[in-house]
Amino acid sequence: MHQAAAYAAAVPPHTYITFLALVEAIIPYTAACSAPGDVQSAGAVQFGVHEYLIWELDHNLSLWQGFYLTAVPLSAPTAELLNYGAAQFTALGYNQAPPCCAGRTGCPFADLHPADRIRVLSMLEQSDQLDLAPLPPPYRNDLGIVRYMIDFISRQTLFGNYSEWPAYGSTRLRVPTERRLECFPPGWSQVRYPGVVPGYRAFMGSVLTIERQGGGTSIVCS
Amino acid sequence: MCAAESMFDADVIVIGSGGGGAVAAKELGEAGLKVLVLEAGAWYGNKHWANPNSEHGGDWSSDYKDLDIGIYKKVFNSYENNMNDVVSGTFRFGPADRRRTPWHRIMRQKGDIWQASGVGGTTQHYWSQSPRAFPQAIDQVWPLSYRELIPYYEKAEATLPVQFSPTTPKEELFYYGAKKAGWQLNPTLNVTTPGYRPNPNAILPPNDRLMDPGCSLEELSDMEGCTLRGNCVNGCASGPSVDRIAKRSTLVSYVPLALKTGNVAIRPNSFVIKVLTSHDPKEGLRATGVQFRDTWTGEIGELTARTVIMAAGCIETPRLWLNSSLPFNEWVGRGLTNHCFDWVGGVFEEKELMRIMGLPEVYPYVGHTSGARVDIPGTGIFQVSCLSPGLMSFLTYGFSEAGYNALNPPEPGEPWNIRGRVVGPQLKELMRNYSRTMTMLLLTDDDTLYRNRVEVDPLLKDEHGPIPIVYYTPSPKTLKRRDQLARYASETLRQAGARQIIRSDTPFGFMLHLESTMRMGYVTDTNCEAFQVKRLFIADNSVHFNGIGGPNPTLTTQALATRTAEKIVAKYFS
Ligand SMILES: Cc1cc2nc3c(=O)[nH]c(=O)nc-3n(C[C@H](O)[C@H](O)[C@H](O)COP(=O)(O)OP(=O)(O)OC[C@H]3O[C@@H](n4cnc5c(N)ncnc54)[C@H](O)[C@@H]3O)c2cc1C
Ligand code: SF4
């Protein structure tokens, strides 16, 4: 098993499935709009972005506890947050689409239709009526931190997907200094970004130029 | 000099080597003072730190010859996740050791604080736009006049140096739209009326041979001048030596100049945890030095100096004041401004682009990250700003005060078709149009409010003490101006021919332009010396009286730091 697979295998299954369901709802596999195997069809799950989120959340926070600086992993409590939100959502009868795999995953969030997962995110960041007491720290009774986190995982899914991260391949879950590119980033292929290049011959002139002579400054229009 | 005085380790200690600290160090070194700079983060491009993110390396560097372009370019590899991941990237706010977590700040709202540690501070990934303040935001508002700032602006502009941005396709398209929307060219550095202009950027002009196919781009990127590689935000790597890198972060501009004076030594990996003071019979409470923690070993050191400059940025400077138990001042940490950003994008059809520019794409990844703007004193600025795809995707579609576009679509008649986060197949479709999308950053003239603040958590600590909590909610007036800017920006996009217009409605808590948490006139006098602690000066964005009307803040900090250095020499060392 390569290192990334070993890392992922060590994550509790509930956490893993929940993040997989999250990134799938944000950037799905879209077979319909492209030929099979086309890079355009791949979504965040195919790029492993759920693993990226888990890594990011588990390497995000350290606090001084007693006499030591202690890392505080956040992926498990954040998965709990999403599942708690999903359970409340279903109990309130908010579902608008048939569940995709009710009861099969053991994770209320992953059981929902992808569109309803997005509604859960929206509910969590808006609702000041939800009872946040049953949540684990740092979310217990702290709507502000919930809002911060929903926002973080949403945008970070996009950043993981459309940056070079998936191309680190088998090294993608190593410490950042030990990651190595194994292919051209697939998210960059999807958007036709040429990648890192030394420059472009794209100089089209200057509208204004600052000239400095003898301490004074003048502006020249071209 | 009395015996006690001669026992100081230095004339001046500077805390932080970012946008402001590096400037103060260079100016004071040039004036002949002995300066020690303590910087919390790593040093990229110095022989003493060959593997800056995985080994402790040396302690101090004070020699210009220590700078090493090979090490610099190895670290600055331009890959956006490697460089700019807020958790683990080279440019995060955290310890040099990238195995460790970043340094935490608590925010109970959407958004993020985008600051970088390391020599050069946040200017390592800033876009180097260096406009002056809007005069109307200074005159009769600040306790000093715009005219008093002008010579210092000129000095900082010449030192960096600042030059207007070259035109590349995205600027061409921006000018086309802005002109059609009725904005006039504003050929000035002192902006008193609305209009468009190229950005005054701290970027060296393109090399004369850039358009000469006889010179390869690889060769050009090792020569002097910008190669238009579009990576300013991911760390510029074009240039023949550290001090001639095209984009003029203080890491490559003021820091090398500081070292050249022979009077400045810099210690990275050194987080200052306390400002030391004593009671002087004549001066009263005065700063005498600092206590710092080595971020690799955890060892605590102390250094003393005749004067101390705080330049740790808008969050850490007030945090350090509070954690050092310096005298109570109700404005410490208060009055935070942030230009309440917004972000507007337009997607173009190929045939429209062909018609306007004779080119099939916008090429958002070519040229300065941000190359042109419309300034509107009293309201703010909108500026073309285009990023690599990972960053562009999250800024345009990944976060929003407005929630999800699909759940809460814009009202009919609004100038944008999309407002808020986009997910699912629609997101993929929009991202497929990345190279035909032009995005703009909006900077709002932001009201300075007492309620917007940095404080420290009563319970939670990291290795440096109680951690900062940041609160920011814009005023209704700020929001009105921001909305107006979004309409202006959308109109320019529409005039340029955009088929779809997207307004992100950026989270208020997305903070890049933090200012005014240690305001001049409240916490410091006009020399930037703290009212309550003599010989303690401030030389970062926190000392601004307000958000300077919307223009990007760093040049004003650099002008002020230049002036503060002059005042320090005059008051304590002449
Ligand atoms: C992506 C991005 C783009 C930007 N683009 C522009 C732009 O184009 N134009 C512009 O004007 N502005 C821009 N800005 C803002 C600009 O970066 C800041 O205005 C500028 O860096 C502020 O300078 P400063 O000295 O206040 O803080 P910083 O540059 O953040 O420097 C503070 C330094 O102090 C160090 N430090 C903190 N605490 C301690 C401590 N306790 N002990 C020792 N050291 C400490 C930090 O590590 C850091 O190096 C941008 C910001 C971002 C994030
Ligand atoms: S566009 Fe930016 S990153 Fe590229 S060479 Fe010019 S300054 Fe450097």
Side-chain angles (χ1 to χ4, degrees):
Chain A
M1 204 187 302
H2 68 58
Q3 210 184 345
Y7 179 94
V11 175
H14 270 71
T15 302
Y16 196 85
I17 294 166
T18 305
F19 280 100
L20 195 138
L22 171 74
V23 305
E24 181 190 39
I26 297 177
I27 310 179
Y29 180 78
T30 44
C33 47
S34 46
D38 179 357
V39 67
Q40 295 298 344
S41 57
V45 171
Q46 287 68 44
F47 292 170
V49 176
H50 47 299
E51 294 174 2
Y52 171 67
L53 284 190
I54 293 167
W55 193 96
E56 292 274 295
L57 288 170
D58 288 346
H59 295 80
N60 208 326
L61 175 65
S62 298
L63 294 172
W64 195 256
Q65 291 175 345
F67 298 97
Y68 302 101
L69 192 63
T70 312
V72 184
L74 291 173
S75 71
T78 306
E80 269 190 63
L81 166 68
L82 297 180
N83 284 310
Y84 176 75
Q88 298 291 310
F89 181 84
T90 305
L92 291 163
Y94 289 164
N95 307 48
Q96 292 190 20
C100 76
C101 34
R104 270 196 284 139
T105 66
C107 301
F109 185 76
D111 283 352
L112 293 175
H113 186 279
D116 277 341
R117 292 178 212 154
I118 300 294
R119 290 192 184 92
V120 169
L121 300 178
S122 174
M123 179 190 82
L124 279 171
E125 72 179 2
Q126 277 174 36
S127 172
D128 16 31
Q129 278 129 41
L130 267 194
D131 176 14
L132 301 180
L135 288 172
Y139 307 114
R140 186 173 299 150
N141 292 325
D142 201 332
L143 179 61
I145 301 287
V146 170
R147 280 199 178 125
Y148 174 85
M149 186 49 76
I150 298 297
D151 182 64
F152 177 81
I153 57 181
S154 305
R155 75 183 132 92
Q156 211 65 356
T157 299
L158 272 65
F159 186 53
N161 191 90
Y162 289 110
S163 68
E164 84 279 8
W165 181 84
Y168 293 123
S170 62
T171 66
R172 67 187 183 272
L173 299 169
R174 290 195 191 164
V175 293
T177 46
E178 290 172 14
R179 295 176 189 169
R180 297 289 172 265
L181 285 171
E182 293 180 353
C183 60
F184 188 79
W188 290 359
S189 300
Q190 285 184 331
V191 305
R192 288 185 300 118
Y193 175 61
V196 171
V197 299
Y200 294 101
R201 299 193 200 275
F203 179 56
M204 298 166 74
S206 303
V207 175
L208 300 175
T209 308
I210 302 175
E211 290 195 349
R212 297 189 177 88
Q213 267 155 6
T217 302
S218 59
I219 290 171
V220 180
C221 301
S222 60
Chain B
M1 192 189 296
C2 69
E5 283 279 295
S6 67
M7 284 162 60
F8 286 109
D9 295 307
D11 292 324
V12 186
I13 288 174
V14 182
I15 305 167
S17 63
V23 176
K26 175 257 181 192
E27 295 294 332
L28 291 165
E30 263 178 12
L33 271 52
K34 294 289 172 206
V35 182
L36 299 178
V37 181
L38 296 171
E39 165 54 51
W43 193 337
Y44 300 125
N46 188 303
K47 288 193 178 91
H48 294 293
W49 294 274
N51 296 301
N53 295 122
S54 43
E55 289 166 13
H56 181 289
D59 286 331
W60 292 92
S61 169
S62 56
D63 190 344
Y64 170 78
K65 294 199 202 81
D66 290 343
L67 300 181
D68 186 311
I69 186 68
I71 298 172
Y72 176 97
K73 288 200 181 184
K74 200 168 136 204
V75 177
F76 276 47
N77 78 356
S78 302
Y79 280 84
E80 53 180 341
N81 197 288
N82 177 49
M83 298 310 294
N84 262 315
D85 190 300
V86 285
V87 176
S88 61
T90 309
F91 294 151
R92 65 183 182 158
F93 185 68
D97 183 350
R98 287 173 71 192
R99 287 165 294 198
R100 290 177 47 198
T101 61
W103 292 316
H104 193 62
R105 284 80 182 269
I106 299 170
M107 285 233 297
R108 290 195 163 82
Q109 63 190 100
K110 299 180 198 181
D112 221 333
I113 295 159
W114 214 4
Q115 289 182 320
S117 57
V119 174
T122 313
T123 71
Q124 291 173 100
H125 71 163
Y126 90 149
W127 306 347
S128 79
Q129 295 156 77
S130 303
R132 301 178 182 183
F134 287 151
Q136 70 173 53
I138 306 283
D139 283 329
Q140 279 93 52
V141 183
W142 283 44
L144 49 79
S145 70
Y146 185 78
R147 183 201 271 273
E148 279 174 87
L149 284 174
I150 287 179
Y152 302 102
Y153 275 135
E154 285 178 342
K155 185 169 187 194
E157 285 163 351
T159 305
L160 283 161
V162 175
Q163 184 52 271
F164 282 117
S165 287
T167 307
T168 69
K170 64 182 173 7
E171 288 78 27
E172 178 90 347
L173 186 61
F174 180 85
Y175 296 137
Y176 175 80
K179 276 189 255 184
K180 275 186 75 183
W183 303 103
Q184 309 274 314
L185 178 66
N186 213 354
T188 185
L189 295 171
N190 304 310
V191 176
T192 52
T193 54
Y196 76 88
R197 55 182 180 145
N199 281 336
N201 281 352
I203 295 182
L204 302 179
N207 188 289
D208 284 344
R209 297 193 63 193
L210 182 62
M211 303 304 279
D212 168 7
C215 190
S216 76
L217 286 164
E218 281 74 18
E219 282 173 271
L220 278 157
S221 73
D222 288 329
M223 290 158 60
E224 183 159 321
C226 169
T227 54
L228 304 176
R229 66 200 285 171
N231 254 319
C232 316
V233 66
N234 294 318
C236 179
S238 285
S241 57
V242 170
D243 62 339
R244 302 313 299 158
I245 287 286
K247 192 198 77 175
R248 313 299 291 154
S249 70
T250 57
L251 172 63
V252 305
S253 55
Y254 278 92
V255 165
L257 291 172
L259 297 179
K260 272 187 179 164
T261 67
N263 290 322
V264 178
I266 302 177
R267 192 184 202 282
N269 308 313
S270 306
F271 203 110
V272 174
I273 49 178
K274 191 170 187 187
V275 173
L276 303 172
T277 54
S278 70
H279 275 278
D280 181 90
K282 271 198 274 167
E283 292 178 359
L285 189 68
R286 60 168 280 192
T288 53
V290 299
Q291 206 173 62
F292 67 96
R293 185 176 188 277
D294 185 306
T295 63
W296 288 93
T297 64
E299 285 165 310
I300 309 279
E302 272 189 21
L303 288 166
T304 57
R306 294 180 178 81
T307 50
V308 174
I309 298 181
M310 300 171 96
C314 267
I315 296 178
E316 297 300 325
T317 290
R319 176 198 189 193
L320 183 57
W321 179 290
L322 296 168
N323 286 349
S324 302
S325 303
L326 296 179
F328 174 76
N329 178 318
E330 62 178 358
W331 277 94
V332 165
R334 295 279 176 165
L336 169 67
T337 57
N338 185 43
H339 292 165
C340 198
F341 282 16
D342 209 336
W343 184 260
V344 172
V347 182
F348 292 77
E349 302 275 9
E350 184 176 323
K351 67 173 185 323
E352 197 60 18
L353 294 171
M354 285 304 288
R355 189 182 63 76
I356 298 166
M357 300 195 290
L359 295 168
E361 307 201 331
V362 174
Y363 303 103
Y365 44 82
V366 173
H368 292 185
T369 290
S370 186
R373 60 179 47 215
V374 169
D375 299 287
I376 311 154
T379 308
I381 292 112
F382 64 95
Q383 51 172 51
V384 53
S385 303
C386 296
L387 304 165
S388 46
L391 295 171
M392 179 275 191
S393 66
F394 94 69
L395 264 92
T396 315
Y397 306 115
F399 62 1
S400 178
E401 285 295 337
Y404 293 88
N405 176 65
L407 301 181
N408 187 19
E411 301 282 319
E414 291 287 27
W416 34 80
N417 320 87
I418 293 175
R419 179 177 184 159
R421 292 192 197 104
V422 182
V423 294
Q426 189 189 13
L427 168 66
K428 289 180 77 175
E429 191 49 39
L430 283 162
M431 281 306 294
R432 281 181 80 160
N433 290 311
Y434 162 75
S435 60
R436 282 187 281 104
T437 306
M438 176 162 75
T439 45
M440 297 188 194
L441 174 63
L442 280 46
L443 310 175
T444 312
D445 181 358
D446 190 8
D447 286 335
T448 318
L449 303 176
Y450 183 74
R451 69 162 182 246
N452 290 332
R453 65 192 185 276
V454 178
E455 30 180 67
V456 292
D457 194 280
L459 298 173
L460 298 179
K461 291 182 187 165
D462 66 12
E463 66 272 38
H464 308 123
I467 56 183
I469 317 179
V470 181
Y471 298 87
Y472 172 81
T473 312
S475 73
K477 274 198 200 151
T478 292
L479 287 178
K480 212 168 145 206
R481 291 191 280 257
R482 177 182 184 262
D483 194 62
Q484 185 58 53
L485 284 173
R487 286 167 200 282
Y488 284 140
S490 301
E491 178 59 12
T492 285
L493 284 167
R494 200 179 65 81
Q495 291 288 348
R499 170 171 56 91
Q500 266 184 305
I501 295 179
I502 304 111
R503 178 178 181 188
S504 130
D505 203 340
T506 305
F508 307 144
F510 185 52
M511 303 204 182
L512 284 71
H513 285 184
L514 302 97
E515 289 173 88
S516 59
T517 52
M518 302 286 278
R519 304 174 71 189
M520 179 192 292
Y522 291 86
V523 179
T524 76
D525 62 17
T526 53
N527 294 343
C528 301
E529 183 174 17
F531 284 128
Q532 292 154 297
V533 187
K534 291 293 146 230
R535 297 172 181 266
L536 182 63
F537 290 80
I538 297 180
D540 57 26
N541 281 11
S542 69
V543 79
H544 295 192
F545 182 87
N546 57 11
I548 68 171
N552 321 59
T554 313
L555 184 78
T556 297
T557 292
Q558 298 179 324
L560 271 177
T562 307
R563 180 176 177 272
T564 301
E566 206 178 273
K567 302 288 179 192
I568 289 173
V569 174
K571 183 164 179 192
Y572 291 115
F573 296 95
S574 55

